[in-house]
Every structure is written in C-alpha cells, then in structure tokens.
Amino acid sequence: MSAPESPAYTELFDHLKHTALLGSCAHLLGWDEQTYLPSQGAELRADQMAMLAGMVHERTTSPRVGELLSQLEADGGLGDETPVSANVREARRTYERATRLPQKLVEELSRVTTLSQQVWIEARHQKDFAQFLPWLEKVVALKREEATAVGYGDGSPYDALLDDYEPGMTAATVQEAFTPLRNELVQLVQQIAGSSRKPDRSIITRAYPVDAQRAFGRQAAEAIGFDFSAGRLDEAAHPFCSGIGPGDCRLTTRYDEHYFPQALFGTLHEAGHGLYEQGLNRDDFGTAMGHSASLGIHESQSRMWENSVGRSREFWQHFFAPAQRAFPTVLDGVTLDEFYRAINIVEPSFIRVEADEVTYNLHVMLRFELEQPLISGDLPVADVPVIWNETFEKFLGLTPTDDAVGCLQDVHWSAGLIGYFPTYSLGNMYAAQFFNAAQEELGDLDEQFARGEFAPLRDWLRTNIHQRGHQYQADRLLEVVTGETLSHKPLTDHLKHKFGQLYGFE
Ligand code: ZN
C-alpha cells in the first residue's frame, strides 16, 4: 500500500491540518494585535496567544504523531522527491525539533524573550546597552541550550538555529557566499561614494499626502497581482505579511508623508510575500506542499517585487505618469530619470531597515559575523557594542553615534531570533538567481514591465516556486529552478550594472 492510501497517512495529515487551523487562529490574533487591538486588550490577547501556542505545541509533539510517522517510514516508499515524501519528511523534521526541546526550555525562552523585548525597547530609547546586557546574556545562553538540544551533527551550534528558518542551510555555506558578496559590495559602495553624480533626494522627501499614497500603493499591489478578494492591506508600526491560510493573506505597511519610498516599497515588498502565500496550493494547507520552502525563499519573492521590479526604471516608465497624477504638486516638473535616481540613492547609513539595495546586505552580514561567535561563546555579550561598531566601520565606513543606531536597533535578538538575519541576504541572492532564470525563459521582462505587464513573471513564480511549496529544501529548489547552486554573482552583477549606470562608472 502506498503512503497516501494508508490509514496512517490520512490520520497524520488530518491531525496536521487541524494543528495548522489552530495555528491560523493564532496568526489572525497576531495580525489583529499589530493593527486594531485596543490597548486595554493587550493582556487578554497575551493570554489567548499563550493558550493557542500551548495547544499547537501539544498537538505538534503528540506521541501519536511519532507513532504514525514511524509507521509510514517503516512501510517504505519514501525518501524520494515526490510531494508525499516531502510531506512526511517535513512532518518528521518539525516533530523532531519540537520534541527535542524540553518543555522547560520552551517555556523559559518564551518568558525571557517576552520580558527581554520590553527591556530592549527601554534600553534602545535610553541608548543604553548596559540595561539590555543581562537580558541578552540570558537569551544567548538559552539559544545555545536550544542548539545543543536540537543537535547539529558535525556542524556548528549556529547551524541548529539557522535550520529553524532556513532548513538544511549551514553557517559554512552562508559564509562561503557572504565573503565574496561582502568584498564586492564594499568596493561598489566606495565607487558610488566617489562618484560626482548626486541624485536629488528632496524629490522623495516632499509632502506626499497619505491618502494618495494609500490609493497608489494599493494600485501598485493590484497591478503586480495581489488579490484583494483574498487579502487585505492595513497599517502597522512594523510592516509584515501574514498568510493566515487559503484565501486570507494580510499585508501591512506604514506611511510617512515626507518619505515616499517607505510605504510604496514596503507595500510592494509585503505584496511579494503575499503573492507567495496566495500562490500556494489551497488543498495542501497544513502540509509541507502547502507551505513556503524557507524564510530565504520567502524573502526572495518580496525583494524581487520590491527591487528587481519596483525599483527598476521600466516599472516607472509605466507608473510615473500615474504617480504624477496621484501627486500633482510634488512631481510637477520632475522627470522620470530624476525620480528614478532619487528612489535609488545609495548612501551608507546606520539603520538596516532604511538601507538601500546596495548597502542592505552589509548590514545583514555584520549581524551574521557577530551571531556566530556569540552562540559559540567566543564573543562575550558585553563586547557586542565595541565589536559592532568596529565591524560597521570596516563594512560601511561609518561609526554608529550611539547604540540605538548601532547594536540596539533590531528587535530580533531580544525576541530570540538568532540565526534569522542571514535569510534576508540569502533572499536577495536567490532573488537575483530566480530573476535571471525567469528572464531567460520569458524574454525581456523589462519591456513587459514598461508596458505594465507583470502577469508573466508572477505566473512563472507561481509555477516554479509557489506551487512547489516545501517539496524541496531551498538549495535544491534553487537548483531545480535555475540549474545553479547558491551564488553571490547574479546579485553583484545586477548591482554593479544598475548602479554603474546610475552613478556613471560602468
Ligand atoms: Zn520580507
């Protein structure tokens, strides 16, 4: 009897689908918490979320899941690359990771990271790392414990953490791609800094009425194919995309009247995540086949729509006239090229989330550089600010003026998300590789964008990436789609070409 017809398979995947349904309720509550929850409801919401998290964990680690998995594996016929094998493989991986973590550690991590995030907010506000230090020490110690509990074979403890976000990826592979990427980017940033061309930043910092931004952003998200009958776009302090489940995907963005790129490129970014969620097969909900392959692959989709598409000159060949109609007073007398240059300004700055397409990855690599020795114990937590600033100077040629714009800027460490950062740059590299493959197959994508045609690229991504769910691990998916292994080169080639033209040194 083949696996899909066996009662064990049916029982296991009924169980997993119900767990996914429970998880989707938590996601919806989480979205509401970030968007519409009245402040007095915070305590009730925390209780609701904790209860649901407990129920999901209990179902995920149920011994019955282990029995069913063992039964299926004993029946044989698995281990190939079919959807059924992928579903069982990922169910096993999730089960192993969850059951290897002692309940006490899970609870302690949840407790410490909740409190630590509160302390981090205050420490960042006060620009005072010393306040945060004892909490970061606790988080790092717990994450080290997590790595030991999960196990990492011949690799490093960091691999065990990375694996939670980018299954199958190792620190060594990341390092191999990051080193040449960093060398090329540092050089490119220097070339740009030396250019005499200085784009006019004032074009993007004029007063762009928020209502008009809202309408324009929605129009752009619709144009690239985000389906508003299966999703929403709202406002949140920290933009995100939450795929609640089939037919329901929630995007958020934030508006700054005097900084046009923030909301629009934020919307395109999150809509790129949203297209991935909307492109997953509905019937596979709750299984690996109905789930994204990794955070890096997810990020490849958002960065592609944000940068390869949204920051291209051709995109604006199509959208600049509508933008001029939407913002008549601000864009009056501005040319397409002046606008294109302004939305592509490259300038080293302190804050990662505000960084341009070129410097962004240097911010990510700095974090990767610190996280590994933090977890191995080679970098004492107390030394983080000094090493952060030294590395920042080395990568970006600037020294942060205080810890709020230095090592205290991101929420990740306080939330226990160590090992997460590399997925941002992996996403950028995957995006460039996927984009080249799409270009090769679809002809001149740029010309299509200039005509306002985004469906061919979207459909290509749907077929080649979205509908494959988590059939393959990220590196294998990359190979299946592009025939290549992970490489920094398509990304640096793209950046050198684009910014060489913009800054006149190609
Ligand atoms: Zn993203």
Side-chain angles (χ1 to χ4, degrees):
M1 182 162 36
S2 72
E5 291 140 26
S6 81
Y9 191 85
T10 309
E11 187 184 337
L12 177 64
F13 284 95
D14 276 350
H15 182 92
L16 294 182
K17 277 183 195 198
H18 280 100
T19 309
L21 273 178
L22 206 51
S24 75
C25 297
H27 288 149
L28 187 57
L29 290 181
W31 166 83
D32 178 72
E33 188 182 355
Q34 305 290 324
T35 49
Y36 294 109
L37 183 73
S39 60
Q40 288 200 32
E43 219 167 298
L44 173 68
R45 182 56 41 88
D47 289 345
Q48 292 168 325
M49 300 278 279
M51 183 189 73
L52 285 172
M55 289 165 77
V56 167
H57 184 72
E58 204 180 309
R59 290 187 61 87
T60 307
T61 55
S62 155
R64 184 66 187 147
V65 172
E67 286 165 22
L68 291 168
L69 278 168
S70 300
Q71 216 172 304
L72 283 165
E73 287 156 355
D75 289 348
L78 298 168
D80 53 15
E81 290 188 321
T82 59
V84 169
S85 288
N87 284 342
V88 175
R89 177 198 76 216
E90 287 309 306
R92 167 61 79 187
R93 207 179 58 81
T94 307
Y95 178 74
E96 284 300 314
R97 189 167 183 106
T99 50
R100 281 179 193 187
L101 294 176
Q103 184 73 22
K104 210 171 143 270
L105 177 62
V106 173
E107 285 168 11
E108 187 63 0
L109 258 169
S110 156
R111 193 185 68 82
V112 167
T113 53
T114 303
L115 295 171
S116 151
Q117 284 179 72
Q118 298 305 314
V119 178
W120 165 75
I121 290 170
E122 192 51 29
R124 187 174 69 155
H125 183 69
Q126 309 265 342
K127 305 175 180 172
D128 179 18
F129 181 76
Q131 259 186 65
F132 182 50
L133 173 61
W135 288 92
L136 185 55
E137 279 173 337
K138 280 182 210 173
V139 173
V140 169
L142 288 169
K143 293 304 282 186
R144 206 176 287 144
E145 240 180 273
E146 180 184 324
T148 308
V150 170
Y152 42 85
D154 300 334
S156 70
Y158 192 80
D159 291 344
L161 303 182
L162 183 58
D163 192 73
D164 201 14
Y165 313 111
E166 199 67 11
M169 183 56 70
T170 65
T173 306
V174 171
Q175 188 72 65
E176 214 174 291
F178 276 12
T179 303
L181 176 63
R182 187 180 70 222
N183 293 339
E184 297 223 34
L185 289 180
V186 167
Q187 205 185 343
L188 183 57
V189 171
Q190 282 166 357
Q191 273 179 302
I192 291 171
S195 163
S196 58
R197 289 197 193 170
K198 300 291 173 208
D200 180 3
R201 178 182 285 275
S202 76
I203 292 170
I204 49 174
T205 56
R206 295 171 184 170
Y208 288 80
V210 166
D211 280 343
Q213 285 195 48
R214 201 174 278 123
F216 189 73
R218 188 183 161 104
Q219 188 190 344
E222 253 168 357
I224 65 169
F226 184 79
D227 181 356
F228 278 91
S229 71
R232 291 182 56 90
L233 171 61
D234 295 88
E235 277 176 63
H238 304 284
F240 61 92
C241 161
S242 185
I244 309 291
D248 191 356
C249 177
R250 311 287 173 110
L251 314 178
T252 61
T253 190
R254 59 179 165 189
Y255 299 92
D256 179 344
E257 189 181 356
H258 288 280
Y259 190 60
F260 175 73
Q262 177 157 290
L264 180 71
F265 293 112
T267 299
L268 287 173
H269 180 99
E270 301 308 337
H273 282 303
L275 287 175
Y276 193 177
E277 291 294 323
Q278 289 185 337
L280 297 169
N281 282 321
R282 282 173 177 247
D283 296 344
D284 291 323
F285 178 67
T287 73
M289 287 303 295
H291 197 276
S292 56
S294 74
L295 286 188
I297 298 295
H298 228 306
E299 195 67 5
S300 76
Q301 303 303 291
S302 57
R303 297 293 280 186
M304 189 185 298
W305 288 105
E306 176 193 354
N307 290 329
S308 317
V309 181
R311 285 186 211 267
S312 71
R313 192 178 180 282
E314 291 76 13
F315 180 87
W316 289 100
Q317 263 176 266
H318 176 71
F319 269 108
F320 191 60
Q324 283 185 309
R325 286 194 293 276
F327 310 101
T329 48
V330 272
L331 290 178
D332 220 22
V334 175
T335 68
L336 166 62
D337 279 305
E338 286 166 340
F339 182 79
Y340 172 59
R341 283 198 288 270
I343 57 163
N344 281 294
I345 291 176
V346 174
E347 213 165 44
S349 60
F350 296 134
I351 306 293
R352 174 184 59 86
V353 296
E354 292 165 8
D356 56 76
E357 212 179 329
V358 178
T359 57
Y360 185 83
N361 294 296
L362 294 168
H363 290 263
V364 172
M365 288 184 263
L366 162 119
R367 288 150 177 80
F368 176 65
E369 202 93 336
L370 266 66
E371 282 186 342
Q372 295 177 87
L374 266 180
I375 290 301
S376 69
D378 291 338
L379 172 62
V381 181
D383 292 350
V384 163
V386 171
I387 302 299
W388 179 290
N389 290 355
E390 273 177 27
T391 315
F392 202 92
E393 166 74 42
K394 197 167 80 183
F395 287 7
L396 285 136
L398 297 175
T399 305
T401 44
D402 58 58
D403 292 338
V405 296
C407 65
L408 287 175
Q409 66 180 272
D410 300 302
V411 67
H412 299 62
W413 290 348
S414 69
L417 300 173
I418 299 177
Y420 189 114
F421 282 118
T423 67
Y424 293 129
S425 285
L426 287 170
N428 284 324
M429 289 189 279
Y430 296 149
Q433 293 184 269
F434 287 143
F435 194 78
N436 283 356
Q439 179 103 287
E440 214 161 281
E441 219 173 297
L442 299 173
D444 208 326
L445 281 174
D446 291 345
E447 278 171 27
Q448 297 171 20
F449 300 162
R451 292 193 297 268
E453 291 167 13
F454 305 102
L457 176 62
R458 189 193 62 236
D459 292 343
W460 186 90
L461 293 171
R462 191 148 287 183
T463 309
N464 285 283
I465 296 166
H466 307 170
Q467 298 201 333
R468 284 187 163 128
H470 196 172
Q471 185 172 4
Y472 308 107
Q473 302 299 23
D475 56 347
R476 179 74 182 124
L477 176 65
L478 185 67
E479 206 183 315
V480 167
V481 177
T482 69
E484 294 169 7
T485 55
L486 177 67
S487 165
H488 71 286
K489 212 173 166 304
L491 176 61
T492 49
D493 283 351
H494 155 75
L495 294 174
K496 283 193 277 190
H497 176 67
K498 174 175 174 178
F499 292 95
Q501 272 185 342
L502 271 164
Y503 282 88
F505 55 78
E506 204 190 20

